Amino acid sequence: MPTIRERWSSRSSFVFAAIGSAIGLGNVWRFPYITYQNGGGAFLIPYFVALITAGIPLMILEYYVGQETQRAPPTALKKIWKKSEWIGWFSVCLVFLLSTYYSTIMSWCVNYFYQSFTLGWGSTPEAINNFFNNTLLGKSGSPGILGGIQMPVLIGLAITWISIYLCLFRGVKILGKIVYFTVCIPWLLLIIMVIRGLSLPGAIEGLNFYLTPDFSVLLKPQAWLAAYGQIFYTLSLAMGTLIIYASYQPKDSDITANAFITSLANCGTAFLAGFAVFSTLGYLAQSMGVSVPEVTKSGLGLAFVTYPTAINLLPVASRFFGAFFFLLLLTLGIDSAFSEVEPVVGSIVDKWGLKKKWVLPLVCIFGFLVGILYSTRGGFYWVDLADHFICNYGITLVGLLECIVIGYVFGARKARSCINEVSDVRIGPWWDVFIKFITPIVLGVSFIMQLIKLIQNGYGNYPIWTIFTGMGFIVLLLILSVILSRRKGVSDE
Ligand code: TRP
């Protein structure tokens, strides 16, 4: 018996939800740092090229798949081509794992937000380092030693999952209202942080580092790979989120203009976040009498060690700005976090016709239970490893498979003519070229290069067994996806 599909209350709800998913923690700690590391201002060139040649074409493709089939990723892909249901399940497995560690990072933000009222993380850089690594995470020294649960992290995790549940349980109509807040509040906070950052002494130094172009990077394949990787990550591509969101759109809604709006809003926000982060780092460097690169830490250290250090040094209202910064991260992250859960729930509902009312809490509880691993003293390493494997191999693989299924099996031309029929902005044959050749080639090359690098150098300082575990896990997920795709579901007809 076909049930009536849920719907967004308006076009802008859908666009805001997609923007909310795209703009997340990655925009604040990943983008500025990767830009700085890969040639500053010059990196914007590969970044923009990646956006045009892979980000937008694939986003259009995913919107089309969801909207045309009106189904969650596995059943949607099955409708496109009978044999591709497993690709959908694979992306669902990946996004579920992503949600489990993403919510852990959110939990750290919850803890920092709480601490910001008293600046409880300490006052010197050493104290802050100690707070993050020892007090909060209680790092065990190796992923093999789990050594007990860190209660504050577990509590933060529970708060995060309850919030995810509360955002999702009333369905897509209400979600469409919530996203206005979860997108606009961070924009407002970000603008405040940028103004505050720019008004600090030393800000210009920081911005110089962020933006001074080093054009020699254009010749380095590494910078190009980083740009493509960042585009895929930041636009929430290849994880089923965009497919499920688009499936709640009526069949005749616009596709291309929505894809352009979503991606440009996201990349603009990332660029702006760079100003907030680097102006503050410039101030930190000046206050400590060192150069900007010396205070610039990679990845998570940037948000949880370097930035709080800078906040402490603020001449006025440091508690206030500390709370603002972590509230910014929380509001940025929450809509990405629930957009990681929705595809999992939607896929189960669509395949077996179960009630969302029951599936959602079960998925949330299960996600929380997996998160217990990340709340242990060895958890930090597992967050890092999961992030590495999912974002480098998982996303690339799914993106590649999607391009092949649509580009070759279904036919890029056929898809394009359907897309043009409903869209305001018409796309030309260039789209076929990207979907059939350029995007899959880039993804294929980057997958192979990453794999070679992994085999040659391992990853970080992790023991070799963790690499095997990661790889083994990806293979296990592939097998699980095939098994799930063979199970009988309720008829789609
Ligand atoms: N785009 C999100 C961010 O910038 C993270 C993310 C990556 C994501 N892939 C996703 C979110 C898939 C939802 C679904 O933080």
Side-chain angles (χ1 to χ4, degrees):
M1 185 195 58
T3 45
I4 296 172
R5 194 157 188 82
E6 287 188 272
R7 292 271 172 249
W8 297 107
S9 42
S10 67
R11 172 179 175 177
S12 54
S13 290
F14 165 69
V15 173
F16 268 83
I19 293 178
S21 169
I23 305 178
L25 302 174
N27 293 54
V28 174
W29 61 259
R30 219 162 178 266
F31 174 80
Y33 178 73
I34 288 189
T35 305
Y36 155 74
Q37 202 180 32
N38 290 287
F43 179 72
L44 295 177
I45 297 171
Y47 185 73
F48 203 66
V49 172
L51 173 68
I52 303 290
T53 60
I56 295 179
L58 205 69
M59 184 177 274
I60 292 176
L61 182 153
E62 295 203 342
Y63 281 178
Y64 169 69
V65 170
Q67 193 169 302
E68 178 63 26
T69 59
Q70 300 281 302
R71 286 287 178 277
T75 22
L77 282 163
K78 185 178 177 190
K79 276 189 154 187
I80 297 284
W81 182 41
K82 271 203 320 298
K83 297 205 171 114
S84 57
E85 187 182 334
W86 65 274
I87 303 172
W89 283 115
F90 185 53
S91 70
V92 168
C93 292
L94 292 177
V95 81
F96 175 70
L97 280 181
L98 176 68
S99 74
T100 59
Y101 77 80
Y102 205 88
S103 51
T104 308
I105 303 179
M106 296 277 294
S107 152
W108 304 345
C109 295
V110 171
N111 277 283
Y112 269 77
F113 179 65
Y114 176 69
Q115 297 292 343
S116 64
F117 292 99
T118 53
L119 292 183
W121 49 62
S123 50
T124 58
E126 295 72 37
I128 295 171
N129 217 345
N130 183 45
F131 175 78
F132 182 58
N133 291 313
N134 301 328
T135 315
L136 181 66
L137 302 180
K139 277 190 193 168
S140 66
S142 147
I145 308 168
L146 293 181
I149 292 172
Q150 293 291 101
M151 246 3 214
V153 178
L154 196 69
I155 295 169
L157 194 64
I159 295 175
T160 307
W161 277 106
I162 291 170
S163 316
I164 293 176
Y165 174 78
L166 291 178
C167 290
L168 290 177
F169 91 105
R170 299 280 299 278
V172 171
K173 281 237 153 49
I174 302 294
L175 192 65
K177 304 252 165 4
I178 295 174
V179 289
Y180 290 124
F181 294 96
T182 58
V183 171
C184 294
I185 295 173
W187 271 340
L188 211 75
L189 289 171
L190 194 59
I191 290 170
I192 297 174
M193 299 304 284
V194 170
I195 296 173
R196 173 74 267 210
L198 291 180
S199 63
L200 291 167
I204 294 295
E205 278 308 298
L207 293 187
N208 271 341
F209 272 94
Y210 174 38
L211 294 174
T212 305
D214 166 11
F215 287 105
S216 67
V217 294
L218 297 181
L219 299 173
K220 292 188 191 145
Q222 199 48 45
W224 288 88
L225 289 181
Y228 277 89
Q230 176 61 13
I231 281 292
F232 273 81
Y233 181 83
T234 190
L235 294 180
S236 306
L237 290 168
M239 291 265 199
T241 293
L242 299 182
I243 297 183
I244 188 92
Y245 274 7
S247 79
Y248 301 132
Q249 283 269 76
K251 257 188 159 178
D252 56 355
S253 328
D254 175 274
I255 293 177
T256 46
N258 285 352
F260 280 102
I261 299 171
T262 318
S263 40
L264 293 177
N266 171 69
C267 296
T269 310
F271 188 55
L272 194 66
F275 281 84
V277 169
F278 272 89
S279 56
T280 315
L281 290 188
Y283 169 67
L284 175 65
Q286 200 189 57
S287 318
M288 292 173 39
V290 294
S291 67
V292 180
E294 279 176 72
V295 295
T296 309
K297 284 227 178 62
S298 68
L300 293 169
L302 184 71
F304 294 104
V305 180
T306 320
Y307 212 87
T309 311
I311 285 171
N312 268 358
L313 289 172
L314 291 182
V316 282
S318 49
R319 287 168 202 213
F320 188 66
F321 282 104
F324 261 31
F325 179 68
F326 287 102
L327 191 64
L328 168 68
L329 289 185
L330 284 172
T331 48
L332 274 179
I334 188 71
D335 43 12
S336 301
F338 60 61
S339 81
E340 291 156 14
V341 178
E342 183 65 26
V344 184
V345 176
S347 298
I348 297 172
V349 168
D350 277 358
K351 169 106 184 183
W352 289 290
L354 301 171
K355 287 242 171 352
K356 203 170 176 179
K357 186 165 88 185
W358 299 115
V359 180
L360 175 65
L362 288 177
V363 169
C364 290
I365 290 171
F366 190 47
F368 172 74
L369 291 178
V370 175
I372 294 178
L373 168 71
Y374 306 116
S375 314
T376 60
R377 298 165 73 96
F380 175 83
Y381 308 105
W382 289 105
V383 169
D384 191 34
L385 282 163
D387 183 62
H388 181 75
F389 280 94
I390 291 171
C391 295
N392 289 310
Y393 311 102
I395 298 188
T396 330
L397 209 54
V398 175
L400 182 65
L401 292 167
E402 283 181 352
C403 287
I404 292 172
V405 170
I406 293 286
Y408 293 93
V409 184
F410 183 77
R413 226 177 136 163
K414 188 167 140 203
R416 179 160 58 90
S417 78
C418 302
I419 293 168
N420 280 337
E421 233 166 73
V422 294
S423 298
D424 303 337
V425 185
R426 292 176 65 83
I427 44 173
W430 55 266
W431 188 77
D432 306 11
V433 178
F434 287 140
I435 291 298
K436 287 175 83 160
F437 305 107
I438 300 186
T439 317
I441 290 173
V442 171
L443 289 172
V445 169
S446 102
F447 185 77
I448 292 168
M449 282 184 59
Q450 302 267 17
L451 207 60
I452 293 175
K453 208 169 103 193
L454 184 75
I455 293 167
Q456 281 176 345
N457 309 334
Y459 169 57
N461 296 324
Y462 290 104
I464 192 77
W465 65 268
T466 54
I467 308 292
F468 284 117
T469 313
M471 280 295 162
F473 210 72
I474 295 259
V475 174
L476 215 64
L477 290 184
L478 279 168
I479 297 171
L480 177 68
S481 310
V482 174
I483 295 174
L484 284 170
S485 70
R486 302 224 160 165
R487 310 284 305 185
K488 254 192 135 48
V490 291
S491 156
D492 280 339
E493 262 52 63

